[in-house]
Amino acid sequence: MAPALCAICKTARALIKRPKNHAKLCKGCFITIFEDEVHHTITSSGLFFPGEKVAIGASGGKDSTVLASVLKTLNERHGYGLDLVLLSIDEGIKGYRDDSLETVKRNAVQYEMPLKVVGYDELYGWTMDQVVETIGKKGNCTYCGVFRRQALDRGAKMLGIKHVVTGHNADDVAETVLMNLLRGDLPRLSRSTSIVTGNNSSEVKRSKPLKYSYEKEIVLYAHHKKLDYFSTECIYSPEAFRGSARSLIKQLERVRPSAILDIVRSGEDMARLVPGQKASSCECKGKTAAPVAAEEEGDIGGCSSTNGRSPGGEMAAMDKQLRENEEHEGLEIDVTKLKLNEARKDVKEESVPIRVANGAEKATGGQVLGTCKRCGYMSSQEICQACTLLEGLNKNRPKIQI
Amino acid sequence: MADVATGPQIPISVDFSGGLEMLFSNQKRHALSIAANDRDGKPLTIAFLIDHLCKNLMKDPRSDLFVLDGHIRPGILVLINDADWELEGEEEYEIKPGDNILFVSTLHGG
């Protein structure tokens, strides 16, 4: 068949078919539009401010390598005025992380960014190899994931940086939305869809500028720009549940490529119905809404837990919060609608009260960040997950060593 | 590998990346000579090539990481001379001499 021409420049041969809209593009136009869309995400959600120091969570894999490359490009092209640093976590897995850290070191040179490597051993006293030695391979991903999230915060803090960006892409978000849907965990679903997590009370905020970028396009961007990235599978078996959600996403994409962004959008729409949650993608609104929710959440106590229990005393507070929420939604609706209309022209009247009608029964309050009583890092529980896991590990250590 | 074929052979290169090279002797680029027609005399398609690679080139027993239910595993991108195979007719594309076929996985982490 005759080679198709690029839908934008109409001159060069099309090499890419975009999953989101089937547009056929040439290499140059694809690279430009990919960057422009990330730029749009960054500006429309007010992700950065001029002069901000930002740490890029860098694993040496495709997502974080593309993120570093795109941010460097956009920072220079649009004059963001960002001070970018690469931040890598060394989980302490021999034969896995060593190679990818070498990639990150090369990236640091290629992108002229300083690099900081933080090890699990120095942060927690445990390498992942030691964790696996103690608890076995089953469930070790939980430890690794919990440790990694906090490690990025701690690494950023060491560098005096208050903002960490990660390479999470649209496929990752869609996968998380599905997993939390399958688990019935609406609060977490809600939190996972927002582009920025961490509010005024937390020391380090995290954001995902590639939230709307397809994994396929990230890989193609890396390929066509000949970026230096490392792909490997962790030597400890991947988490089965996440794996099957992943397969589902990829199979859906094969049949209907737009499904991935549609799931992300559905997740955002569901998130908007969760009490105490700011609307999805615009952080500027969140600044007014978040502190109010946080204060109220303090009275409610354990309501951010995921098991859906609802002692009577919480009902009044919940009702109050729901009313507050509606008020906030009322204030926010203009901006929200603007954004929605931009994305989907056929949007209907928002029906926020639907969730409110039966929401009080299940007490699905938004997760609210406080700080861990033990280590002082941000947590929605009294003792953070990392400290809880460490406690278990440390109890087991003597037994294992004898 | 192409010993069953009697007709003319065509030279192609096949690349694996994104972690797929692990299934193919940790080698990124493979220069192959492959029969221009299959046993029924039909031209060589990508579908035939994928089957051929599984049977002849893959050293790893985990073929399900490459092929699922008789088709390329969802999440693996196929580029024919740098163009997305979706623009080229996917499995039906007829391979020409000197073609470069790249299989790149999006499924592996970093």
Side-chain angles (χ1 to χ4, degrees):
Chain A
M1 62 209 227
L5 289 180
C6 172
I8 294 176
C9 69
K10 319 256 193 249
T11 50
R13 182 180 162 215
L15 293 181
I16 288 102
K17 188 175 172 192
R18 303 199 72 194
K20 66 192 278 184
N21 57 11
H22 305 285
K24 297 170 182 179
L25 301 182
C26 71
K27 180 174 147 180
C29 291
F30 165 70
I31 286 173
T32 306
I33 205 167
F34 182 90
E35 290 164 352
D36 285 351
E37 287 180 359
V38 178
H39 174 62
H40 175 81
T41 304
I42 289 170
T43 50
S44 65
S45 25
L47 227 45
F48 306 122
F49 59 83
E52 189 171 14
K53 276 191 97 176
V54 176
I56 302 168
S59 66
K62 57 185 169 23
D63 301 303
S64 56
T65 303
V66 166
L67 180 62
S69 171
V70 170
L71 282 186
K72 179 185 168 63
T73 303
L74 294 178
N75 193 30
E76 288 167 3
R77 181 180 299 159
H78 299 286
Y80 291 167
L82 298 180
D83 189 358
L84 298 168
V85 175
L86 295 172
L87 175 59
S88 281
I89 306 303
D90 185 354
E91 297 92 343
I93 304 176
K94 282 212 170 57
Y96 164 64
R97 192 46 91 201
D98 330 340
D99 296 336
S100 49
L101 280 177
E102 286 308 311
T103 311
V104 180
K105 285 176 194 166
R106 286 199 302 277
N107 289 341
V109 177
Q110 288 152 1
Y111 304 142
E112 298 164 303
M113 291 177 194
L115 165 67
K116 168 84 180 168
V117 181
V118 195
Y120 278 10
D121 48 353
E122 56 178 306
L123 288 177
Y124 306 109
W126 289 81
T127 65
M128 274 313 290
D129 284 338
Q130 291 167 334
V131 170
V132 171
E133 221 171 275
T134 307
I135 64 152
K137 285 190 183 180
K138 207 177 170 203
N140 78 83
C141 298
T142 307
Y143 287 77
C144 196
V146 167
F147 288 168
R148 187 186 298 110
R149 251 169 282 141
Q150 214 184 67
L152 282 173
D153 292 347
R154 293 184 177 218
K157 213 184 162 196
M158 283 181 199
L159 295 166
I161 293 176
K162 293 183 171 167
H163 191 170
V164 177
V165 291
T166 56
H168 290 98
N169 58 44
D171 296 52
D172 295 328
V173 176
E175 182 184 311
T176 310
V177 167
L178 272 188
M179 279 169 63
N180 286 316
L181 194 64
L182 297 176
R183 288 187 183 121
D185 191 342
L186 208 50
R188 189 159 278 126
L189 183 153
S190 161
R191 213 161 59 148
S192 70
T193 55
S194 48
I195 190 159
V196 179
T197 49
N199 57 26
N200 299 347
S201 68
S202 56
E203 291 173 274
V204 178
K205 70 171 179 178
R206 282 185 293 257
S207 66
K208 14 184 201 280
L210 301 181
K211 181 193 165 190
Y212 297 108
S213 304
Y214 273 78
E215 188 159 59
K216 173 177 173 178
E217 295 200 345
I218 287 172
V219 169
L220 289 175
Y221 184 88
H223 171 75
H224 289 296
K225 282 207 83 172
K226 299 192 168 39
L227 300 184
D228 179 11
Y229 72 93
F230 186 79
S231 12
T232 183
E233 210 47 64
C234 178
I235 53 173
Y236 301 125
S237 54
E239 203 182 353
F241 192 31
R242 187 162 274 272
S244 52
R246 194 60 154 195
S247 301
L248 180 58
I249 295 272
K250 293 298 182 188
Q251 280 165 22
L252 287 172
E253 182 186 23
R254 193 88 184 86
V255 183
R256 205 171 76 98
S258 67
I260 290 178
L261 272 187
D262 292 340
I263 293 171
V264 173
R265 291 207 185 95
S266 300
E268 288 175 353
D269 288 352
M270 284 187 268
R272 289 156 37 75
L273 306 180
V274 176
Q277 199 63 27
K278 63 195 179 197
S280 62
S281 55
C282 195
E283 172 66 358
C284 50
K285 287 179 307 209
K287 273 175 192 148
T288 54
V292 177
E295 275 168 31
E296 290 189 355
E297 207 67 27
D299 302 330
I300 300 171
C303 130
S304 66
S305 71
T306 56
N307 46 16
R309 71 201 154 80
S310 175
E314 293 179 6
M315 294 295 284
M318 178 59 73
D319 271 344
K320 184 164 162 260
Q321 194 195 335
L322 292 174
R323 276 197 308 279
E324 293 261 4
N325 260 336
E326 280 183 85
E327 285 169 32
H328 281 296
E329 292 287 353
L331 291 172
E332 291 167 10
I333 206 82
D334 280 348
V335 191
T336 315
K337 267 188 170 171
L338 261 176
K339 288 204 71 67
L340 273 172
N341 283 331
E342 209 177 282
R344 291 173 303 169
K345 298 227 164 62
D346 58 342
V347 70
K348 295 208 179 78
E349 192 63 36
E350 292 306 314
S351 48
V352 171
I354 287 178
R355 182 64 179 80
V356 175
N358 51 17
E361 287 171 31
K362 286 220 161 180
T364 40
Q367 293 214 329
V368 169
L369 291 166
T371 50
C372 170
K373 282 194 173 159
R374 206 161 288 170
C375 69
Y377 279 88
M378 64 171 156
S379 167
S380 49
Q381 262 90 41
E382 206 165 273
I383 306 291
C384 74
Q385 285 179 301
C387 285
T388 311
L389 292 177
L390 276 174
E391 192 178 352
L393 280 174
N394 290 332
K395 273 185 196 149
N396 274 321
R397 172 124 63 185
K399 260 188 264 168
I400 298 296
Q401 279 173 346
I402 288 166
Chain B
M1 36 199 269
D3 39 73
V4 286
T6 49
Q9 302 270 307
I10 56 174
I12 58 167
S13 58
V14 178
D15 291 357
F16 300 98
S17 75
L20 281 177
E21 57 273 36
M22 283 185 279
L23 301 177
F24 296 90
S25 332
N26 270 315
Q27 191 183 326
K28 268 193 184 296
R29 169 154 294 193
H30 296 256
L32 302 180
S33 193
I34 192 164
N37 300 294
D38 66 11
R39 259 165 281 188
D40 305 324
K42 290 190 191 118
L44 172 64
T45 60
I46 295 281
F48 183 85
L49 174 71
I50 290 170
D51 185 52
H52 175 85
L53 294 174
C54 278
K55 286 180 180 149
N56 300 293
L57 197 63
M58 195 185 298
K59 297 283 183 264
D60 198 290
R62 295 171 295 171
S63 65
D64 60 320
L65 295 181
F66 186 58
V67 169
L68 208 61
D69 303 325
H71 299 281
I72 201 84
R73 191 185 174 96
I76 294 176
L77 309 181
V78 185
L79 301 190
I80 300 167
N81 300 322
D82 239 12
D84 190 333
W85 77 333
E86 290 178 36
L87 298 169
E88 303 285 337
E90 306 194 11
E91 288 184 348
E92 306 303 317
Y93 174 82
E94 293 174 10
I95 296 173
K96 293 162 194 60
D99 274 354
N100 172 259
I101 319 290
L102 165 66
F103 297 93
V104 50
S105 176
T106 66
L107 301 169
H108 296 261

